[in-house]
Amino acid sequence: MTAFRKTQHLSFDLDEAPLGRGEVAIVGAGPGDPGLLTLRALSLLQQADCLVFDRLVSAEILAMARPEARRFYVGKASRCHALTQEETNALLVRLAGEGERVLRLKGGDPYIFGRGGEEAEALIEHGIGFRVVPGITSASGCSSYAGFPLTHRDHAQSVTFVTGHCKGDRDLDLNWAALAVPHHTTVFYMGLANAELIRRELQRHGMPAATPVALVERGTTPEQRHVLATLGDLVEVIEREAFRPPTLIVVGEVVSLAKTLAPAMTRLARAPDVALAASPHPIPGRVAL
């Protein structure tokens, strides 16, 4: 997001009460591009005393918070957690109990594979007030920036968001027959480790090997890269291109529209070397709109 001179700072009168002391705001930060942050999320960023944030929240978004706000990193990667979920819950409870205005900042949307519901349950258990602010989920942001929609009247009349791994590394037990139907889009979050299973089960339940697939790594950020493949060569493409988390796997006929739509799109993301230089205030305490 670019900060412009000679404009008014964002006020907090967005039809909501200010963040109260001892309250937790569970907020979606979007998929990465700071320009996709909602005005309400930005307002709360500029009020919070403490930020409890995930691995995929960008430095540009963190820079929009008050400089004096305390920052607590609780990021999670596969088999590598800064804090367990239970420890994160306890941290939120402790900070709120100290009377802090707490912002729990999550990549994407907190209620779509973001564990926001689990944290809300923990806050209720301890009698702590909270609010939830939705964010643009990765499926929507990554597909748009990769140049294809998730639904289309000619190609996909429905879309399903699916977790690519289960709690405690249990087997991925999905209704594969429901996902293998035509004119449907399936988005697998966190699915790289189970790519072979995804390919095998979808084909076993009738999906053709030629079905288009998109792999989108670090979508909406300056480091985004995406490759179009087919279901049949999904695993080989992942290995050859060395895809790493966070990568979305999008399966469905609608992916083929990227060949037409993506080349015609105006570039949305800035290049890495100019991502911060574009702003006259690269690390603002408050952002003007």
Side-chain angles (χ1 to χ4, degrees), residues 43 92 138 150 176 223 225 270:
S43 171
L92 296 174
S138 297
L150 293 176
W176 296 104
E223 293 79 28
R225 65 181 182 125
R270 291 168 289 173

Side-chain angles (χ1 to χ4, degrees), residues 261-281:
L261 301 182
M265 287 175 57
T266 301
R267 181 178 174 86
L268 294 175
R270 291 168 289 173
D273 57 342
V274 299
L276 288 178
S279 170
H281 306 290

Side-chain angles (χ1 to χ4, degrees), residues 142-153:
C142 293
S143 62
S144 295
Y145 278 51
F148 61 89
L150 293 176
T151 63
H152 188 285
R153 289 192 297 173

Side-chain angles (χ1 to χ4, degrees), residues 3 12 14 21 23 41 61 72 75 83 110 129 147 153-154 181 186 217 220 232-233 240 244 269-270 286:
F12 301 143
L14 296 176
R21 296 199 174 276
E23 183 184 2
I61 289 176
F72 298 86
L83 295 180
R153 289 192 297 173
D154 295 330
V181 296
T186 304
E217 179 181 294
T220 82
D233 64 9
R240 183 181 72 240
R244 296 289 181 266
R270 291 168 289 173
R286 295 168 69 89

